[in-house]
Amino acid sequence: MEVVIVPDSAAGGELIAEAMAGLLRQKPDALLGVATGSTPLPVYEALAAKVRAGEADTSRARVCQLDEYVGLPAGHPESYRSVVLREVVEPLGLSESAFLGPDGTAEDVAAACLAYDRALAEAGGVDLQLLGIGTDGHIGFNEPCSSLASRTRIKTLTEQTRVDNARFFDGDIGQVPHHVITQGIGTILEARHLVLLATGEAKADAVALAVEGPLSALVPASALQLHPHATVVVDEAAASSLKLADYFRATYAAKPSWQGI
Ligand code: GLP
């Protein structure tokens, strides 16, 4: 995988937004897989700025969700559907019909998971999937020991992830759902380009394990090692545990700028 070390989260956002804009120039109706959490927000801000400046055209773009809480009432502001509508769909001027997501309110959750995997395939597959990383190494909501071949399914969150995400629920872990729907690792690996963004010291150990550790279900993000086009964008703090940081810097510096990520 390619590791790009950027000075800060704004630079990471700009780099990835430019990759998305470039993809949309080649394929105007590209399906962009978007992630939630705080980390990807600079990407969405940079892409929206490009749209306003006429440097990116999202008029035919489509977006899809990576994961979703199970059991939050429809329209809950912290359901990932609401978050993606607020942070991505609206700022990019997309219509709701250009947006695919799993149904976290479904009574038959297993059927909703199957339906979502099918919908992604029928949409032609994900062109670029943006990922964050949990402090426990999860991608989407694939917690440690998720099958590396898993499909979209229901998962139970670890205590660590519920603690991490309580900040979106007034700091009250009691409000954080226990169950979620997540694209499986096998589903995620079908996207044509995977881009993982990690910023801040709290992610440094998870990033090092994912990039330099062995491929292991214990560190779901290490599955990116299996993908032929995976890019890991990290700021200096998130890169601070990487043994090969200097090599990654030198490799990227030597790359022709027109090549992108
Ligand atoms: C949640 C999401 C992940 C995200 C992670 C990290 O668990 N399901 O997709 O990567 O949070 O979030 P943050 O970027 O806020 O640290």
Short mmCIF file of all heavy atoms in Angstrom, two decimals, residues 199-249:
data_model
loop_
_atom_site.label_atom_id
_atom_site.label_comp_id
_atom_site.label_asym_id
_atom_site.label_seq_id
_atom_site.Cartn_x
_atom_site.Cartn_y
_atom_site.Cartn_z
N THR A 199 -5.69 10.74 11.50
CA THR A 199 -5.00 11.92 12.01
C THR A 199 -4.98 11.86 13.54
O THR A 199 -5.90 11.33 14.16
CB THR A 199 -5.68 13.23 11.55
OG1 THR A 199 -7.08 13.16 11.86
CG2 THR A 199 -5.54 13.42 10.05
N GLY A 200 -3.91 12.40 14.10
CA GLY A 200 -3.82 12.48 15.56
C GLY A 200 -3.09 11.30 16.17
O GLY A 200 -3.12 10.18 15.67
N GLU A 201 -2.45 11.60 17.28
CA GLU A 201 -1.62 10.62 18.01
C GLU A 201 -2.40 9.38 18.44
O GLU A 201 -1.86 8.27 18.46
CB GLU A 201 -1.06 11.34 19.25
CG GLU A 201 -0.25 10.48 20.16
CD GLU A 201 1.20 10.93 20.19
OE1 GLU A 201 1.41 12.15 20.23
OE2 GLU A 201 2.07 10.04 20.18
N ALA A 202 -3.69 9.56 18.75
CA ALA A 202 -4.49 8.42 19.26
C ALA A 202 -4.59 7.30 18.23
O ALA A 202 -4.89 6.16 18.58
CB ALA A 202 -5.89 8.90 19.65
N LYS A 203 -4.33 7.62 16.96
CA LYS A 203 -4.44 6.60 15.91
C LYS A 203 -3.08 5.98 15.55
O LYS A 203 -3.01 5.07 14.73
CB LYS A 203 -5.06 7.21 14.64
CG LYS A 203 -6.46 7.80 14.84
CD LYS A 203 -7.47 6.75 15.18
CE LYS A 203 -8.84 7.29 15.52
NZ LYS A 203 -9.53 7.92 14.43
N ALA A 204 -1.99 6.50 16.14
CA ALA A 204 -0.64 6.10 15.71
C ALA A 204 -0.40 4.60 15.83
O ALA A 204 0.13 3.97 14.90
CB ALA A 204 0.42 6.88 16.49
N ASP A 205 -0.78 3.99 16.94
CA ASP A 205 -0.51 2.56 17.12
C ASP A 205 -1.36 1.72 16.17
O ASP A 205 -0.87 0.75 15.58
CB ASP A 205 -0.74 2.14 18.57
CG ASP A 205 0.31 2.72 19.51
OD1 ASP A 205 1.34 3.21 18.99
OD2 ASP A 205 0.10 2.70 20.72
N ALA A 206 -2.62 2.09 16.01
CA ALA A 206 -3.50 1.34 15.11
C ALA A 206 -2.96 1.43 13.67
O ALA A 206 -2.95 0.43 12.94
CB ALA A 206 -4.93 1.88 15.19
N VAL A 207 -2.49 2.60 13.27
CA VAL A 207 -1.95 2.78 11.91
C VAL A 207 -0.71 1.90 11.72
O VAL A 207 -0.57 1.21 10.71
CB VAL A 207 -1.62 4.27 11.65
CG1 VAL A 207 -0.75 4.44 10.41
CG2 VAL A 207 -2.91 5.08 11.50
N ALA A 208 0.19 1.91 12.70
CA ALA A 208 1.42 1.12 12.56
C ALA A 208 1.11 -0.37 12.46
O ALA A 208 1.70 -1.08 11.64
CB ALA A 208 2.35 1.40 13.75
N LEU A 209 0.16 -0.84 13.27
CA LEU A 209 -0.22 -2.25 13.20
C LEU A 209 -0.85 -2.59 11.85
O LEU A 209 -0.59 -3.64 11.27
CB LEU A 209 -1.20 -2.60 14.33
CG LEU A 209 -0.58 -2.70 15.72
CD1 LEU A 209 -1.68 -2.77 16.79
CD2 LEU A 209 0.32 -3.93 15.82
N ALA A 210 -1.68 -1.67 11.34
CA ALA A 210 -2.37 -1.94 10.07
C ALA A 210 -1.39 -1.95 8.90
O ALA A 210 -1.49 -2.78 8.00
CB ALA A 210 -3.45 -0.88 9.83
N VAL A 211 -0.43 -1.03 8.93
CA VAL A 211 0.48 -0.86 7.78
C VAL A 211 1.68 -1.80 7.88
O VAL A 211 2.08 -2.40 6.88
CB VAL A 211 0.95 0.62 7.70
CG1 VAL A 211 2.04 0.79 6.65
CG2 VAL A 211 -0.23 1.53 7.40
N GLU A 212 2.26 -1.92 9.07
CA GLU A 212 3.53 -2.64 9.21
C GLU A 212 3.40 -3.96 9.95
O GLU A 212 4.34 -4.74 9.99
CB GLU A 212 4.55 -1.75 9.93
CG GLU A 212 4.89 -0.49 9.13
CD GLU A 212 5.80 0.47 9.89
OE1 GLU A 212 5.89 0.36 11.13
OE2 GLU A 212 6.40 1.33 9.23
N GLY A 213 2.25 -4.19 10.54
CA GLY A 213 2.05 -5.44 11.28
C GLY A 213 1.64 -6.55 10.34
O GLY A 213 1.45 -6.33 9.14
N PRO A 214 1.49 -7.76 10.88
CA PRO A 214 1.03 -8.87 10.04
C PRO A 214 -0.43 -8.69 9.66
O PRO A 214 -1.18 -8.03 10.39
CB PRO A 214 1.22 -10.09 10.94
CG PRO A 214 1.22 -9.56 12.33
CD PRO A 214 1.73 -8.15 12.27
N LEU A 215 -0.81 -9.27 8.54
CA LEU A 215 -2.22 -9.32 8.16
C LEU A 215 -2.94 -10.14 9.23
O LEU A 215 -2.57 -11.27 9.50
CB LEU A 215 -2.35 -10.01 6.80
CG LEU A 215 -3.76 -10.29 6.30
CD1 LEU A 215 -4.50 -8.99 6.02
CD2 LEU A 215 -3.72 -11.15 5.05
N SER A 216 -3.93 -9.52 9.86
CA SER A 216 -4.58 -10.21 10.97
C SER A 216 -5.99 -9.72 11.17
O SER A 216 -6.24 -8.51 11.15
CB SER A 216 -3.77 -9.97 12.25
OG SER A 216 -4.52 -10.35 13.37
N ALA A 217 -6.91 -10.66 11.40
CA ALA A 217 -8.28 -10.28 11.73
C ALA A 217 -8.34 -9.47 13.02
O ALA A 217 -9.29 -8.73 13.26
CB ALA A 217 -9.16 -11.52 11.85
N LEU A 218 -7.29 -9.58 13.83
CA LEU A 218 -7.25 -8.82 15.08
C LEU A 218 -7.12 -7.32 14.80
O LEU A 218 -7.49 -6.48 15.61
CB LEU A 218 -6.05 -9.31 15.92
CG LEU A 218 -6.05 -9.05 17.40
CD1 LEU A 218 -7.33 -9.56 18.06
CD2 LEU A 218 -4.84 -9.72 18.04
N VAL A 219 -6.56 -6.99 13.65
CA VAL A 219 -6.42 -5.59 13.22
C VAL A 219 -7.11 -5.47 11.85
O VAL A 219 -6.47 -5.61 10.81
CB VAL A 219 -4.93 -5.18 13.10
CG1 VAL A 219 -4.81 -3.70 12.72
CG2 VAL A 219 -4.18 -5.48 14.39
N PRO A 220 -8.42 -5.25 11.86
CA PRO A 220 -9.15 -5.29 10.58
C PRO A 220 -8.57 -4.39 9.50
O PRO A 220 -8.59 -4.75 8.31
CB PRO A 220 -10.57 -4.86 10.99
CG PRO A 220 -10.68 -5.38 12.40
CD PRO A 220 -9.33 -5.12 13.01
N ALA A 221 -8.00 -3.24 9.87
CA ALA A 221 -7.45 -2.34 8.85
C ALA A 221 -6.24 -2.95 8.13
O ALA A 221 -5.86 -2.50 7.05
CB ALA A 221 -7.07 -1.00 9.47
N SER A 222 -5.63 -4.01 8.72
CA SER A 222 -4.50 -4.64 8.03
C SER A 222 -4.97 -5.31 6.73
O SER A 222 -4.16 -5.63 5.86
CB SER A 222 -3.79 -5.66 8.93
OG SER A 222 -4.62 -6.78 9.21
N ALA A 223 -6.29 -5.50 6.57
CA ALA A 223 -6.82 -6.09 5.33
C ALA A 223 -6.50 -5.22 4.12
O ALA A 223 -6.52 -5.71 2.98
CB ALA A 223 -8.33 -6.30 5.45
N LEU A 224 -6.18 -3.93 4.35
CA LEU A 224 -5.80 -3.09 3.20
C LEU A 224 -4.55 -3.63 2.51
O LEU A 224 -4.30 -3.34 1.34
CB LEU A 224 -5.56 -1.63 3.64
CG LEU A 224 -6.79 -0.73 3.57
CD1 LEU A 224 -7.81 -1.08 4.64
CD2 LEU A 224 -6.40 0.74 3.67
N GLN A 225 -3.76 -4.41 3.24
CA GLN A 225 -2.55 -5.01 2.63
C GLN A 225 -2.91 -5.94 1.48
O GLN A 225 -2.07 -6.23 0.63
CB GLN A 225 -1.76 -5.78 3.69
CG GLN A 225 -1.22 -4.91 4.81
CD GLN A 225 -0.56 -5.73 5.91
OE1 GLN A 225 -0.17 -6.87 5.70
NE2 GLN A 225 -0.44 -5.14 7.09
N LEU A 226 -4.16 -6.41 1.47
CA LEU A 226 -4.59 -7.33 0.41
C LEU A 226 -5.04 -6.61 -0.85
O LEU A 226 -5.29 -7.24 -1.87
CB LEU A 226 -5.78 -8.18 0.92
CG LEU A 226 -5.49 -9.19 2.02
CD1 LEU A 226 -6.81 -9.74 2.55
CD2 LEU A 226 -4.64 -10.32 1.46
N HIS A 227 -5.22 -5.29 -0.76
CA HIS A 227 -5.86 -4.57 -1.86
C HIS A 227 -4.82 -4.03 -2.85
O HIS A 227 -3.80 -3.47 -2.43
CB HIS A 227 -6.70 -3.41 -1.29
CG HIS A 227 -7.69 -2.87 -2.27
ND1 HIS A 227 -7.34 -2.01 -3.28
CD2 HIS A 227 -9.01 -3.09 -2.40
CE1 HIS A 227 -8.42 -1.72 -3.99
NE2 HIS A 227 -9.46 -2.36 -3.47
N PRO A 228 -5.07 -4.17 -4.15
CA PRO A 228 -4.06 -3.71 -5.12
C PRO A 228 -3.93 -2.19 -5.21
O PRO A 228 -2.92 -1.69 -5.74
CB PRO A 228 -4.56 -4.29 -6.45
CG PRO A 228 -6.00 -4.60 -6.24
CD PRO A 228 -6.18 -4.90 -4.78
N HIS A 229 -4.93 -1.44 -4.74
CA HIS A 229 -4.82 0.02 -4.79
C HIS A 229 -5.34 0.61 -3.47
O HIS A 229 -6.49 1.01 -3.36
CB HIS A 229 -5.61 0.58 -5.98
CG HIS A 229 -5.36 2.03 -6.23
ND1 HIS A 229 -6.06 2.79 -7.15
CD2 HIS A 229 -4.47 2.90 -5.67
CE1 HIS A 229 -5.62 4.03 -7.14
NE2 HIS A 229 -4.66 4.13 -6.25
N ALA A 230 -4.47 0.59 -2.48
CA ALA A 230 -4.82 1.11 -1.17
C ALA A 230 -3.86 2.25 -0.81
O ALA A 230 -2.65 2.12 -0.97
CB ALA A 230 -4.74 0.02 -0.12
N THR A 231 -4.44 3.36 -0.36
CA THR A 231 -3.65 4.52 0.01
C THR A 231 -3.95 4.86 1.47
O THR A 231 -5.12 4.94 1.85
CB THR A 231 -4.03 5.74 -0.86
OG1 THR A 231 -4.03 5.36 -2.23
CG2 THR A 231 -3.07 6.89 -0.65
N VAL A 232 -2.90 5.05 2.25
CA VAL A 232 -3.08 5.43 3.65
C VAL A 232 -2.52 6.83 3.81
O VAL A 232 -1.33 7.07 3.56
CB VAL A 232 -2.35 4.43 4.59
CG1 VAL A 232 -2.41 4.89 6.03
CG2 VAL A 232 -2.95 3.04 4.44
N VAL A 233 -3.37 7.78 4.17
CA VAL A 233 -2.96 9.17 4.33
C VAL A 233 -2.96 9.49 5.83
O VAL A 233 -3.99 9.31 6.49
CB VAL A 233 -3.93 10.12 3.58
CG1 VAL A 233 -3.48 11.57 3.74
CG2 VAL A 233 -4.00 9.74 2.09
N VAL A 234 -1.81 9.88 6.34
CA VAL A 234 -1.68 10.12 7.78
C VAL A 234 -0.99 11.45 8.03
O VAL A 234 -0.09 11.84 7.29
CB VAL A 234 -0.86 9.00 8.48
CG1 VAL A 234 -1.69 7.77 8.71
CG2 VAL A 234 0.40 8.64 7.71
N ASP A 235 -1.38 12.12 9.12
CA ASP A 235 -0.62 13.32 9.50
C ASP A 235 0.59 12.87 10.33
O ASP A 235 0.75 11.68 10.63
CB ASP A 235 -1.52 14.34 10.22
CG ASP A 235 -1.98 13.87 11.60
OD1 ASP A 235 -1.66 12.72 12.00
OD2 ASP A 235 -2.65 14.65 12.29
N GLU A 236 1.43 13.83 10.68
CA GLU A 236 2.68 13.47 11.38
C GLU A 236 2.40 12.74 12.69
O GLU A 236 3.10 11.78 13.03
CB GLU A 236 3.51 14.74 11.67
CG GLU A 236 4.06 15.42 10.42
CD GLU A 236 5.22 14.65 9.77
OE1 GLU A 236 5.78 13.74 10.41
OE2 GLU A 236 5.56 14.96 8.61
N ALA A 237 1.36 13.15 13.40
CA ALA A 237 1.05 12.52 14.70
C ALA A 237 0.61 11.07 14.49
O ALA A 237 1.06 10.16 15.20
CB ALA A 237 -0.03 13.30 15.43
N ALA A 238 -0.24 10.82 13.51
CA ALA A 238 -0.72 9.46 13.27
C ALA A 238 0.38 8.59 12.66
O ALA A 238 0.30 7.36 12.70
CB ALA A 238 -1.94 9.47 12.36
N ALA A 239 1.42 9.24 12.10
CA ALA A 239 2.55 8.49 11.51
C ALA A 239 3.64 8.21 12.54
O ALA A 239 4.62 7.52 12.23
CB ALA A 239 3.15 9.30 10.35
N SER A 240 3.46 8.69 13.78
CA SER A 240 4.59 8.72 14.71
C SER A 240 5.06 7.33 15.18
O SER A 240 6.14 7.21 15.73
CB SER A 240 4.28 9.62 15.90
OG SER A 240 3.12 9.18 16.55
N SER A 241 4.27 6.29 14.98
CA SER A 241 4.74 4.94 15.37
C SER A 241 5.21 4.12 14.17
O SER A 241 5.54 2.93 14.32
CB SER A 241 3.62 4.17 16.09
OG SER A 241 3.27 4.81 17.28
N LEU A 242 5.23 4.72 12.98
CA LEU A 242 5.64 3.96 11.78
C LEU A 242 7.16 3.85 11.73
O LEU A 242 7.87 4.86 11.73
CB LEU A 242 5.14 4.67 10.50
CG LEU A 242 3.65 4.58 10.21
CD1 LEU A 242 3.28 5.51 9.05
CD2 LEU A 242 3.23 3.15 9.90
N LYS A 243 7.66 2.62 11.65
CA LYS A 243 9.12 2.42 11.57
C LYS A 243 9.65 2.88 10.21
O LYS A 243 10.78 3.30 10.06
CB LYS A 243 9.45 0.94 11.74
CG LYS A 243 9.15 0.41 13.12
CD LYS A 243 9.77 -0.99 13.28
CE LYS A 243 9.23 -1.72 14.49
NZ LYS A 243 7.88 -2.27 14.28
N LEU A 244 8.80 2.77 9.18
CA LEU A 244 9.25 3.07 7.82
C LEU A 244 8.87 4.49 7.38
O LEU A 244 8.82 4.76 6.17
CB LEU A 244 8.66 2.05 6.85
CG LEU A 244 9.09 0.59 7.05
CD1 LEU A 244 8.39 -0.32 6.05
CD2 LEU A 244 10.60 0.45 6.91
N ALA A 245 8.61 5.38 8.34
CA ALA A 245 8.11 6.72 7.99
C ALA A 245 9.04 7.43 6.99
O ALA A 245 8.57 8.03 6.01
CB ALA A 245 7.93 7.56 9.24
N ASP A 246 10.36 7.34 7.22
CA ASP A 246 11.29 8.05 6.32
C ASP A 246 11.23 7.47 4.90
O ASP A 246 11.29 8.20 3.91
CB ASP A 246 12.73 7.97 6.85
CG ASP A 246 12.91 8.88 8.05
OD1 ASP A 246 12.05 9.78 8.23
OD2 ASP A 246 13.87 8.67 8.81
N TYR A 247 11.11 6.16 4.82
CA TYR A 247 10.99 5.51 3.51
C TYR A 247 9.70 5.97 2.81
O TYR A 247 9.71 6.28 1.61
CB TYR A 247 11.00 3.99 3.71
CG TYR A 247 10.56 3.22 2.50
CD1 TYR A 247 11.37 3.14 1.36
CD2 TYR A 247 9.32 2.57 2.48
CE1 TYR A 247 10.95 2.44 0.24
CE2 TYR A 247 8.90 1.87 1.36
CZ TYR A 247 9.71 1.82 0.25
OH TYR A 247 9.30 1.14 -0.85
N PHE A 248 8.61 6.04 3.56
CA PHE A 248 7.34 6.47 2.96
C PHE A 248 7.45 7.92 2.46
O PHE A 248 6.98 8.26 1.38
CB PHE A 248 6.18 6.36 3.96
CG PHE A 248 5.87 4.93 4.38
CD1 PHE A 248 5.64 4.61 5.71
CD2 PHE A 248 5.82 3.91 3.44
CE1 PHE A 248 5.35 3.30 6.09
CE2 PHE A 248 5.54 2.58 3.81
CZ PHE A 248 5.31 2.29 5.15
N ARG A 249 8.10 8.77 3.27
CA ARG A 249 8.27 10.18 2.86
C ARG A 249 9.08 10.27 1.58
O ARG A 249 8.72 10.98 0.64
CB ARG A 249 9.00 10.98 3.96
CG ARG A 249 8.12 11.38 5.09
CD ARG A 249 8.82 12.41 6.00
NE ARG A 249 8.08 12.49 7.24
CZ ARG A 249 8.34 11.75 8.32
NH1 ARG A 249 9.36 10.92 8.34
NH2 ARG A 249 7.58 11.86 9.39
#
